[in-house]
Amino acid sequence: MNFLRSAGRLLLALVVFAAIAQVKANAQIPPGTTRNGTFVWDGARWLPVEQPPPPPPQGFGGIEITVNDAPPPLPVYEQPPCPEPNLLWTPGYWHHGLFGFYWVPGAWVPAPYVGALWTPGYWGFAGGGYGFHAGYWGPHIGFYGGVNYGGGFMGIGFAGGSWNGGVFAYNTAVVNVNRTVITNVYVNTTIVQQTTIVNNSHTSFNGGPNGVQHQATPDEQAAAHDTHTAPTTFQQQHVTAAAADKSNLASNNGGHPTNLAVAKPLAAEAHAAPAGFKPPPARPVTELAHAQAPPATIAAAKTATAKTATVAASAPKTPAKAPAMAAKPPAPAASAPPAKTPVKSETMAAPKTTPPPAKVAPKPEFTPAPKSTTPPPAKVAPKVEPKAPPKPPAKTTKPPAKNEKEKPQG
């Protein structure tokens, strides 16, 4: 009997010690740690997360996921300075996971091979839904929906720099770099203007209602046939970590994430360049400063800007009927016009609600007064005035009246 009691106490002690050890072990797990690629530690428990995005297929960026709702508008933020040479900017974007849309912060990434360029992923409207086309590396910039991500990705191609032999030259007209470390720079505002698709509503998707109205240019179509390289392992981990951070969820931040970009660049991962590919030859920096976009690109940017503005201008009519749609993070175009519409509606509502009360208040206050005060005095005045004059004559005429009455009687 004593032996059983001792064994029970020993077992209980082991359980307590194991629990304490587990608590201590949990406390040492940093938030964001992944386990088997399917769970992530949030500081208290393991939460399931989606698998890293699959690599895009050869050719054009494939559709990774399709959803019914449009992604939120793109937030405006300042690009962190490039800390070292030969890093390429990968802009932030909205992705979609188990708990809805979440923000993937922008980051500086080492190119997988010399001469590689990054084509951002984008959302496109088709068949009544929104599909996300995964980003990829390639010899040329491909089609990314005409979405103006900033930082050189102005809608068509990349105006933030170019490979110049074996090094990357940065166009500081639109790219922020650490000038004490990076000296291979130039300034070219012309190409920035020529490749910019103006999108005042910060729409984050292509086509459909309120989307960016841009179709692939000949150069973008040609880039679709290049050999593409999938995002690096570190880029995929970056996406997974963003999905695990609850503050990135649009449902939690209202479409305004706080962690918009990371200053520290991602780790490097080397890949073989496509067969037969050679980086562009070196050119004088002054030549890069005067480079211009192809005529087809310039025309496409102007056309897309005009069409997108037209769609955005007509957007308020539909959302106005259904304010609930404006509350959703859908169409950025719907978000910009609505942003102006609410301001106008609030401004118009203020004057409309203020004057009426002022007009209504005075009318009931002043109208009853004149009606109750003016008529009575008017009625009393005539009554008093006519009665006063007749009374004196009545007193003087009373006697004759009696005589006159008597006369007829006599």
Side-chain angles (χ1 to χ4, degrees):
M1 192 69 177
N2 292 334
F3 174 76
L4 293 177
R5 289 179 181 177
S6 300
R9 292 174 183 174
L10 179 60
L11 181 60
L12 179 60
L14 291 174
V15 171
V16 171
F17 285 127
I20 296 174
Q22 184 64 37
V23 171
K24 290 182 178 180
N26 290 344
Q28 295 176 356
I29 300 176
T33 302
T34 57
R35 183 180 69 182
N36 298 332
T38 57
F39 293 88
V40 66
W41 182 255
D42 70 347
R45 60 190 183 281
W46 291 99
L47 296 176
V49 295
E50 58 275 7
Q51 292 291 332
Q58 297 295 321
F60 209 77
I63 296 181
E64 178 182 321
I65 187 175
T66 301
V67 297
N68 294 326
D69 296 329
L74 293 171
V76 179
Y77 60 100
E78 184 177 354
Q79 180 189 50
C82 182
E84 56 188 74
N86 295 343
L87 297 178
L88 272 71
W89 176 247
T90 59
Y93 62 95
W94 290 107
H95 210 310
H96 195 280
L98 296 176
F99 304 104
F101 287 103
Y102 62 91
W103 179 254
V104 178
W108 289 102
V109 181
Y113 57 87
V114 175
L117 296 172
W118 174 251
T119 296
Y122 72 96
W123 290 93
F125 180 85
Y130 300 85
F132 183 74
H133 300 255
Y136 55 85
W137 296 95
H140 305 93
I141 301 291
F143 180 77
Y144 53 92
V147 178
N148 188 337
Y149 287 105
F153 292 99
M154 315 311 295
I156 304 178
F158 181 64
S162 61
W163 285 97
N164 194 23
V167 297
F168 193 85
Y170 299 89
N171 181 7
T172 54
V174 285
V175 174
N176 188 13
V177 301
N178 184 344
R179 298 295 295 273
T180 61
V181 178
I182 300 173
T183 57
N184 196 22
V185 298
Y186 63 94
V187 176
N188 186 339
T189 57
T190 301
I191 196 170
V192 174
Q193 298 171 354
Q194 293 174 338
T195 59
T196 295
I197 295 179
V198 179
N199 177 13
N200 294 327
S201 58
H202 308 294
T203 304
S204 59
F205 63 93
N206 171 270
N210 309 325
V212 178
Q213 306 301 310
H214 170 60
Q215 296 180 348
T217 64
D219 287 343
E220 289 175 322
Q221 293 177 357
H225 301 289
D226 291 337
T227 300
H228 298 160
T229 301
T232 66
T233 303
F234 300 103
Q235 285 180 281
Q236 296 180 19
Q237 292 177 356
H238 181 61
V239 175
T240 302
D245 188 345
K246 295 181 180 179
S247 66
N248 290 329
L249 288 171
S251 57
N252 291 339
N253 57 45
H256 302 282
T258 55
N259 185 23
L260 293 164
V262 294
K264 183 179 179 180
L266 304 186
E269 181 178 285
H271 285 264
F277 170 74
K278 294 182 180 180
R283 294 183 294 170
V285 177
T286 54
E287 184 178 338
L288 297 176
H290 294 87
Q292 296 191 23
T297 297
I298 300 174
K302 292 180 179 179
T303 301
T305 296
K307 289 184 177 181
T308 302
T310 302
V311 172
S314 59
K317 297 179 182 179
T318 305
K321 296 179 181 179
M325 295 299 292
K328 295 181 181 179
S335 70
K340 295 180 181 177
T341 305
V343 175
K344 291 181 180 178
S345 63
E346 291 173 5
T347 306
M348 296 299 289
K352 286 182 180 179
T353 50
T354 306
K359 293 178 181 178
V360 175
K363 285 182 180 178
E365 289 177 4
F366 293 109
T367 306
K371 287 182 180 178
S372 59
T373 55
T374 307
K379 291 179 181 178
V380 173
K383 286 179 181 178
V384 175
E385 289 175 0
K387 285 180 181 178
K391 284 181 182 179
K395 291 179 182 179
T396 54
T397 54
K398 280 182 182 179
K402 291 180 181 180
N403 294 333
E404 288 176 2
K405 289 179 182 180
E406 293 176 357
K407 286 180 182 181
Q409 288 178 355

